[in-house]
Amino acid sequence: MKRIAIIDIGSNSIRLVLVQINKNNFFSVIDELKETVRLGKDMTIYGGLNPLRIEQAIKTLSFFKCLCEAQNVTEIIAVATEAVRKASNQVEFINRVRSELGIEIRVLTGTLEAYYDYFGNVNSMDISNALLIDIGGSSTELIWVEDRNLKASISMPFGAINLTERFSLYKAMDEKTEKDLKEFIISLYKDIPWLKEIKNIPLVGIGGTIRNIAKISRKKNSYPIANLHNYRTTVEDVIEIYNMSKIKDYTERKKIKGLSKDRADIFLGAAGAVITLFEFLDLKELYVSGCGLREGIIYEYILQGNTPLEDVLGFSISNHIFNYEMNSNHAYQVWKLTECLYNDLKSILNIDKDCCKILKTAALLHDCGVRISYYDHHSHSFYIIANSKINGLSHREQLMAAYIAALHRKNDFKIDLDKYEKIINEEDIKVIEKLAILIRICENLDGGVNSNVSGVSCDIEAGTVIISVKSKTDPILEINQALNCAASFEKIFGKKLNIKSSYF
Amino acid sequence: MKRIAIIDIGSNSIRLVLVQINKNNFFSVIDELKETVRLGKDMTIYGGLNPLRIEQAIKTLSFFKCLCEAQNVTEIIAVATEAVRKASNQVEFINRVRSELGIEIRVLTGTLEAYYDYFGNVNSMDISNALLIDIGGSSTELIWVEDRNLKASISMPFGAINLTERFSLYKAMDEKTEKDLKEFIISLYKDIPWLKEIKNIPLVGIGGTIRNIAKISRKKNSYPIANLHNYRTTVEDVIEIYNMSKIKDYTERKKIKGLSKDRADIFLGAAGAVITLFEFLDLKELYVSGCGLREGIIYEYILQGNTPLEDVLGFSISNHIFNYEMNSNHAYQVWKLTECLYNDLKSILNIDKDCCKILKTAALLHDCGVRISYYDHHSHSFYIIANSKINGLSHREQLMAAYIAALHRKNDFKIDLDKYEKIINEEDIKVIEKLAILIRICENLDGGVNSNVSGVSCDIEAGTVIISVKSKTDPILEINQALNCAASFEKIFGKKLNIKSSYF
């Protein structure tokens, strides 16, 4: 176990992320801090960082260093982006931080910044093909991902802060200003040769502007899940948010529900850049990502190289199993048995879509609620699965997995369908109930948590399903416990459940 | 760290609880299993345990033993109550369990059973004076608690199973049967000399019948908290549940929402005994306890004796801080500073009641949500505090603490007041907002989690509150972070917030 810190010296804010790294590269974020220092603002006429803002940056970094020491951090990785990258007094700033604080800042090129955005996302989202956009304070990266590879990328020298300064966007936007803003941005997009080749892929958005668009959208649509990672919305929704914002000045914008007060001043230009990209490429969907540069650095560190994870969901689940200190033997045993039932019973399950990812998540994490308390742990499992950052699942898949896990002990957990109607429907509930009964049977078949039952296979007869159980010792009590599911099984599938043992 | 198992061989069910015991006596339940063996049923004409039920008990205990081995349990404490206590073949049964399974069963006297009920509850509820009732399968214990001492107790040889058998309570109850049942129970109550002295104290209920009454009541009243421990209701509510049940036969009773199917047959007699006690002593309130015999044994084990905890809430919180692996230095530092503000600012806080317990819980557990995920951890803290078994708080206090913790980072967490209207009201919300701002200030004053700020004191002036900060090194960044609360502070208290340092 070790703890590292990532310090991200951006043009708008300086951020600290403390990461605990455990065996097998499992990790968890244990603290995060942000100071809105705005190094990219009020730069001197010679293109240097403003001395007052340098002082504030030094104080912030000093505080972050104290926090790292208090938290037993053994390694600090500090990177800086556009504001420092272009600053004429870059070297003085870096030297001062080194001599006063002993922190070595690595100034990233635009290409490397884009690469980390790519690497953070390819390891945390279920995307093969996408266009990523990361709008920062003073730069914006576009990254084209094809078959999970980085096909092309660019870093452009505009962001939320310098667009605001250049087009005076503290006040409401008039038609002329909007036209100028869009023309400026389009002229930059037009200069990117590969950009016009992009068609019909989702736009994945990274950074504070995107997160704020998502927060406004979530409030506007009464969306019931707090997790922003993997939030999805349409171009129409984003345009509506932009149109609603552009007619407000800074003070009025501060009242927009979901928009952070310390971003209300610099929101408009960056939102305009997103809209312009949507229109320029005729894209339809925005996927919000909670991962970017900092996660890219974390994954590079733990994977020790640039080969992405092969199985994003599998790693994410294993990471949660480790971090939640679950009994992984039992978890994998229940999943192994459940997968057999799922495959053998396909004809009576009668489910259109492949639910393997959902079922795997539910089977492996069904007991995670014990982390809160053994009592009512099935309900706690629902809460944790629904509210965790599970990479590689959509919110719908995640919610379905949560509900399945909540039903792993008995039927009496009821989801508030009114609350979640935007995400799952009555049909999904039927699928959930079918899948939950499979896990409940297998959870009972490993009731001794000793993998006594090592395998199952099914025979489907006219009125009965027979599960044959292989075991090391007499599995009579496991079978008895599993047979408590027989009434529910019959209600759902219209067939009796019989479980027999080949053990003598 | 070690793991022990408690096996409770009751007249209705055999239960297993696995407990992990950590340093400083902190502990957590890691697994629980129940088999409804009903040793107290179908006893032979010679008063012996039924051979078929003995076989089932042996199989269950064998399975429990496997589970203990799989879970690295190093000590099994097995106790038996009324069914085994009175069985003519007690010795054969105990010898067989010893020789076949190596498990030593301790048969508890009625007095000892009552004592464990007392000891489980005095360490887990905020009660000084109460009458406890524990209705089991074949016996019922009454325990009089005065000033946290066990003043008197009795174990009576009736319970859910033998009342059902004696009065044939599988069918609906006619007037004659009800009269006979009540007369039988009253005749026993009348024989207890100390019982008539009891007046105006709450009845604390223990055991499956009580839990089922609570579950039915919770459904009936759409109560929003799942945790049964500390659930409270009125005598009228319990009578209504009893009256609704007594006109139904076994099959109809199984449909009652909240009543477990495997208790529907034996529910009526035991519920009648509760009602009769309420009427006999003219008591008004039922407090439901989730703790009894098994918890009594656990507390005796960890406390190594019979002296109860002095501070039930304090121990419970410390236990959660340990089990949730929180940074206890930071937690206690935030509480220390918050307590100073709370005392210094009493005149402007203007809160009627002493909220010390609520504030302490919120301050100490404010970060517990990190256990689920650092992201949105304030919301997770709400969930965990609202849904944990925190001993020594009422549900209302617990919910208020949860909400305060949820506001420790920013104002934007909104509780669903419609959902919780039965527990807290608009006035409570105002108190919550006042207390939350104190914690938020202090959380920021320990932003470096290094206890740099070691003390605070307040001066209240006409338009301003000045917090003076003592610290080891320059606290400028902690103060800056804390001053982010100034706007909220002014909105709530109508005074500006100023924070100054005595550090030079």
Side-chain angles (χ1 to χ4, degrees):
Chain A
M1 193 274 276
K2 66 191 273 191
R3 288 179 170 183
I4 65 165
I6 318 287
I7 295 178
D8 171 6
I9 304 168
S11 311
N12 184 44
S13 61
I14 302 184
R15 285 170 180 271
L16 172 74
V17 190
L18 298 188
V19 184
Q20 179 160 317
I21 298 175
N22 304 299
K23 64 169 193 182
N24 298 331
N25 298 332
F26 297 140
F27 71 96
S28 62
V29 169
I30 55 166
D31 206 352
E32 245 188 27
L33 235 71
K34 175 180 102 165
E35 273 284 315
T36 307
V37 175
R38 296 206 165 158
L39 275 177
K41 207 172 164 230
D42 314 320
M43 292 185 74
T44 65
I45 46 168
Y46 306 107
L49 302 168
N50 183 302
L52 291 173
R53 295 194 182 268
I54 288 181
E55 287 311 314
Q56 213 191 329
I58 297 279
K59 275 189 185 147
T60 300
L61 291 171
S62 158
F63 184 60
F64 284 1
K65 204 185 165 199
C66 283
L67 191 67
C68 288
E69 278 163 10
Q71 294 275 26
N72 303 317
V73 164
T74 52
E75 192 169 347
I76 295 176
I77 300 171
V79 296
T81 52
E82 185 69 8
V84 177
R85 185 156 60 214
K86 72 173 174 213
S88 57
N89 52 357
Q90 182 197 104
V91 175
E92 293 93 301
F93 175 67
I94 287 175
N95 287 344
R96 202 177 145 195
V97 172
R98 183 190 301 117
S99 67
E100 287 184 24
L101 303 171
I103 295 174
E104 191 64 52
I105 298 174
R106 184 155 64 110
V107 180
L108 301 181
T109 61
T111 309
L112 205 47
E113 190 177 353
Y115 169 76
Y116 282 127
D117 276 332
Y118 154 77
F119 205 61
N121 276 282
V122 77
N123 287 311
S124 61
M125 289 191 102
D126 181 25
I127 43 159
S128 297
N129 301 293
L131 176 64
L132 315 189
I133 181 168
D134 179 357
I135 309 191
S138 302
S139 74
T140 292
E141 286 70 43
L142 288 178
I143 303 113
W144 186 6
V145 180
E146 198 174 68
D147 292 332
R148 302 189 77 221
N149 294 307
L150 194 164
K151 187 162 181 182
S153 75
I154 188 166
S155 176
M156 292 169 289
F158 71 83
I161 291 180
N162 50 16
L163 285 176
T164 304
E165 290 184 328
R166 180 174 186 141
F167 294 97
S168 303
L169 296 174
Y170 297 101
K171 53 184 197 293
M173 196 147 64
D174 57 28
E175 271 184 41
K176 167 80 171 60
T177 310
E178 183 173 17
K179 193 164 160 279
D180 291 348
L181 170 73
K182 286 194 169 182
E183 277 179 5
F184 169 71
I185 291 167
I186 286 178
S187 73
L188 292 168
Y189 290 161
K190 277 193 173 154
D191 277 350
I192 307 167
W194 50 267
L195 194 60
K196 357 191 173 334
E197 295 175 44
I198 286 175
K199 280 192 192 73
N200 292 326
I201 55 177
L203 183 64
V204 173
I206 305 163
T209 302
I210 301 288
R211 278 197 300 277
N212 274 270
I213 289 175
K215 284 181 188 170
I216 299 169
S217 163
R218 201 172 59 183
K219 291 265 181 199
K220 191 164 80 75
N221 300 311
S222 306
Y223 191 77
I225 292 182
N227 185 3
L228 283 178
H229 187 62
N230 263 322
Y231 180 76
R232 295 179 185 183
T233 190
T234 60
V235 60
E236 291 79 14
D237 191 45
V238 181
I239 290 175
E240 212 176 282
I241 289 167
Y242 167 73
N243 286 340
M244 177 264 291
S245 315
K246 75 180 183 191
I247 53 172
K248 295 182 195 297
D249 66 15
Y250 172 36
T251 318
E252 291 166 333
R253 259 179 262 151
K254 279 204 271 190
K255 295 176 198 152
I256 296 175
K257 283 186 179 162
L259 183 58
S260 305
K261 287 192 182 34
D262 64 356
R263 190 171 286 272
D265 52 344
I266 58 168
F267 178 68
L268 219 48
V274 178
I275 293 298
T276 309
L277 185 62
F278 266 118
E279 293 171 346
F280 186 71
L281 295 174
D282 192 28
L283 301 176
K284 308 289 185 203
E285 268 196 306
L286 178 68
Y287 289 12
V288 177
S289 169
C291 296
L293 169 60
R294 295 181 290 282
E295 287 73 17
I297 293 172
I298 295 171
Y299 280 106
E300 181 184 63
Y301 190 93
I302 61 167
L303 299 177
Q304 295 177 16
N306 56 10
T307 310
L309 292 166
E310 270 184 35
D311 178 3
V312 168
L313 176 62
F315 180 79
S316 184
I317 295 174
S318 301
N319 200 30
H320 284 305
I321 288 175
F322 181 88
N323 285 330
Y324 296 157
E325 296 169 294
M326 295 174 64
N327 181 333
S328 68
N329 286 344
H330 177 62
Y332 282 97
Q333 187 65 15
V334 171
W335 166 230
K336 177 180 134 181
L337 302 179
T338 305
E339 193 179 19
C340 292
L341 292 194
Y342 179 68
N343 289 326
D344 283 6
L345 296 178
K346 277 216 165 123
S347 67
I348 66 162
L349 277 164
N350 196 17
I351 301 173
D352 295 346
K353 289 180 193 159
D354 181 12
C355 288
C356 209
K357 288 201 300 180
I358 297 171
L359 189 62
K360 179 178 181 179
T361 306
L364 287 170
L365 297 179
H366 73 275
D367 265 344
C368 67
V370 174
R371 183 152 180 90
I372 295 178
S373 161
Y374 181 80
Y375 300 105
D376 295 312
H377 69 262
H378 56 289
S379 316
H380 306 326
S381 294
F382 174 83
Y383 179 85
I384 293 182
I385 298 174
N387 288 287
S388 289
K389 201 164 154 183
I390 298 179
N391 295 327
L393 289 186
S394 69
H395 282 186
R396 177 177 161 278
E397 290 167 329
Q398 199 169 331
L399 191 63
M400 287 179 73
Y403 197 4
I404 293 168
L407 296 172
H408 85 266
R409 294 167 88 195
K410 38 193 176 174
N411 280 330
D412 77 348
F413 182 90
K414 283 278 169 265
I415 200 174
D416 184 349
L417 206 53
D418 287 345
K419 181 173 173 187
Y420 292 109
E421 64 179 359
K422 292 204 163 60
I423 306 177
I424 56 173
N425 58 32
E426 295 280 358
E427 281 306 302
D428 294 327
I429 300 286
K430 285 185 195 155
V431 171
I432 285 164
E433 287 173 348
K434 288 179 189 174
L435 297 177
I437 197 80
L438 305 187
I439 293 182
R440 208 185 316 161
I441 292 169
C442 297
E443 150 85 348
N444 281 300
L445 288 177
D446 195 42
V449 296
N450 57 356
S451 304
N452 179 38
V453 171
S454 56
V456 285
S457 60
C458 303
D459 289 303
I460 305 172
E461 300 182 352
T464 310
V465 166
I466 301 164
I467 300 180
S468 301
V469 156
K470 265 183 286 185
S471 67
K472 296 169 205 155
T473 65
D474 188 358
I476 177 72
L477 278 153
E478 286 95 334
I479 289 178
N480 278 350
Q481 296 247 338
L483 281 172
N484 287 329
C485 309
S488 303
F489 186 91
E490 189 172 353
K491 203 167 153 195
I492 291 174
F493 296 110
K495 288 180 190 287
K496 293 198 184 307
L497 176 66
N498 192 352
I499 307 181
K500 62 180 196 189
S501 161
S502 54
Y503 178 85
F504 295 105
Chain B
M1 194 274 277
K2 67 192 273 192
R3 288 177 171 186
I4 65 165
I6 319 288
I7 295 178
D8 172 6
I9 303 169
S11 310
N12 185 43
S13 60
I14 302 183
R15 284 170 180 272
L16 171 74
V17 190
L18 299 189
V19 184
Q20 178 160 317
I21 297 176
N22 304 299
K23 64 167 193 184
N24 299 330
N25 299 331
F26 297 138
F27 70 96
S28 62
V29 169
I30 55 166
D31 206 352
E32 245 188 28
L33 234 70
K34 176 181 98 164
E35 273 283 315
T36 307
V37 175
R38 298 206 164 157
L39 274 177
K41 209 172 164 230
D42 313 321
M43 293 187 72
T44 65
I45 47 169
Y46 308 106
L49 302 169
N50 183 304
L52 290 173
R53 295 194 183 269
I54 289 182
E55 288 310 315
Q56 212 190 330
I58 298 279
K59 274 191 186 148
T60 299
L61 291 171
S62 159
F63 184 59
F64 286 180
K65 203 184 165 199
C66 283
L67 192 65
C68 289
E69 280 165 8
Q71 294 277 27
N72 304 315
V73 163
T74 52
E75 193 169 347
I76 295 176
I77 300 170
V79 297
T81 53
E82 185 68 8
V84 178
R85 183 155 64 215
K86 71 171 176 213
S88 56
N89 53 354
Q90 183 197 102
V91 174
E92 294 93 301
F93 175 66
I94 287 175
N95 287 344
R96 201 178 145 194
V97 171
R98 183 190 300 118
S99 68
E100 288 185 21
L101 303 171
I103 295 173
E104 191 64 53
I105 297 174
R106 185 156 64 112
V107 180
L108 301 181
T109 61
T111 309
L112 204 49
E113 189 178 353
Y115 168 75
Y116 282 128
D117 276 333
Y118 155 76
F119 205 60
N121 276 282
V122 77
N123 288 311
S124 62
M125 287 191 105
D126 181 25
I127 43 162
S128 296
N129 301 293
L131 176 64
L132 316 188
I133 182 170
D134 179 359
I135 310 190
S138 302
S139 74
T140 293
E141 286 70 42
L142 288 178
I143 303 114
W144 185 7
V145 181
E146 199 175 68
D147 293 331
R148 303 190 76 218
N149 294 309
L150 194 164
K151 186 163 184 183
S153 73
I154 189 166
S155 176
M156 291 168 290
F158 71 83
I161 291 179
N162 48 17
L163 286 175
T164 304
E165 289 183 328
R166 181 174 185 138
F167 296 96
S168 302
L169 297 173
Y170 297 102
K171 54 183 196 297
M173 196 147 63
D174 57 28
E175 272 183 39
K176 168 81 172 65
T177 310
E178 183 172 18
K179 192 163 161 284
D180 291 349
L181 170 73
K182 286 194 169 181
E183 278 179 7
F184 168 72
I185 292 168
I186 285 177
S187 72
L188 293 168
Y189 290 161
K190 277 193 173 153
D191 277 350
I192 307 168
W194 51 266
L195 195 60
K196 337 183 190 344
E197 295 176 43
I198 285 176
K199 280 193 191 75
N200 293 326
I201 54 177
L203 183 65
V204 173
I206 305 164
T209 302
I210 301 287
R211 279 198 299 278
N212 274 268
I213 289 175
K215 283 182 192 173
I216 298 168
S217 163
R218 201 171 59 183
K219 290 264 180 199
K220 190 164 80 74
N221 300 310
S222 306
Y223 190 76
I225 291 183
N227 185 5
L228 284 178
H229 186 62
N230 265 320
Y231 179 76
R232 295 177 185 185
T233 189
T234 60
V235 59
E236 291 79 15
D237 192 46
V238 182
I239 290 176
E240 210 176 284
I241 289 165
Y242 169 71
N243 286 341
M244 176 265 289
S245 316
K246 75 181 182 189
I247 53 172
K248 298 182 195 292
D249 66 14
Y250 171 34
T251 318
E252 290 166 335
R253 260 180 262 148
K254 280 203 270 189
K255 294 176 199 152
I256 297 176
K257 283 186 180 161
L259 182 58
S260 305
K261 285 189 183 36
D262 63 357
R263 188 170 287 273
D265 52 344
I266 58 168
F267 178 68
L268 219 48
V274 177
I275 293 297
T276 310
L277 185 63
F278 266 118
E279 292 170 348
F280 186 72
L281 295 174
D282 193 25
L283 301 175
K284 308 290 185 202
E285 267 194 307
L286 178 68
Y287 290 13
V288 176
S289 169
C291 295
L293 169 60
R294 295 182 289 281
E295 288 71 19
I297 293 172
I298 295 171
Y299 280 106
E300 181 184 63
Y301 190 93
I302 61 166
L303 300 176
Q304 297 179 13
N306 56 9
T307 310
L309 291 167
E310 273 186 31
D311 179 4
V312 169
L313 176 62
F315 179 80
S316 183
I317 294 174
S318 301
N319 200 29
H320 283 306
I321 288 175
F322 181 88
N323 285 330
Y324 296 157
E325 296 169 293
M326 293 174 66
N327 181 333
S328 69
N329 287 344
H330 176 63
Y332 281 98
Q333 187 65 16
V334 170
W335 166 230
K336 178 180 134 183
L337 302 178
T338 305
E339 194 180 18
C340 292
L341 292 194
Y342 179 67
N343 289 326
D344 284 5
L345 296 178
K346 276 217 166 123
S347 66
I348 64 163
L349 276 165
N350 196 18
I351 301 173
D352 296 345
K353 291 180 192 158
D354 181 14
C355 289
C356 209
K357 289 201 300 179
I358 296 170
L359 189 62
K360 181 178 180 178
T361 308
L364 287 170
L365 297 180
H366 73 274
D367 266 345
C368 67
V370 175
R371 184 150 177 90
I372 295 178
S373 161
Y374 181 81
Y375 301 104
D376 295 313
H377 69 263
H378 55 289
S379 317
H380 306 328
S381 293
F382 175 84
Y383 179 85
I384 292 181
I385 298 174
N387 288 287
S388 289
K389 201 164 154 183
I390 298 179
N391 295 327
L393 289 187
S394 68
H395 283 186
R396 177 178 160 276
E397 290 168 329
Q398 199 169 332
L399 192 62
M400 286 180 74
Y403 196 4
I404 293 168
L407 296 173
H408 86 266
R409 295 166 87 194
K410 39 191 177 175
N411 281 328
D412 76 348
F413 183 89
K414 284 276 167 269
I415 201 175
D416 183 348
L417 205 53
D418 287 344
K419 180 173 173 187
Y420 293 108
E421 64 179 359
K422 289 203 166 59
I423 307 176
I424 58 173
N425 59 32
E426 295 280 0
E427 281 307 302
D428 294 327
I429 299 287
K430 284 184 195 154
V431 171
I432 285 164
E433 286 173 350
K434 288 178 189 174
L435 298 176
I437 197 83
L438 305 187
I439 294 183
R440 209 186 315 163
I441 291 168
C442 298
E443 150 86 348
N444 281 301
L445 288 177
D446 195 42
V449 296
N450 56 357
S451 304
N452 179 37
V453 171
S454 57
V456 286
S457 60
C458 302
D459 289 303
I460 304 173
E461 299 182 353
T464 310
V465 166
I466 301 163
I467 301 179
S468 301
V469 157
K470 265 185 285 186
S471 66
K472 296 170 205 155
T473 65
D474 187 0
I476 178 71
L477 279 153
E478 286 95 335
I479 290 178
N480 277 351
Q481 298 245 338
L483 281 172
N484 287 328
C485 308
S488 302
F489 187 91
E490 190 172 354
K491 204 168 155 194
I492 291 174
F493 295 110
K495 287 181 191 289
K496 292 199 183 306
L497 176 66
N498 191 352
I499 307 180
K500 62 180 197 191
S501 162
S502 55
Y503 179 86
F504 296 106

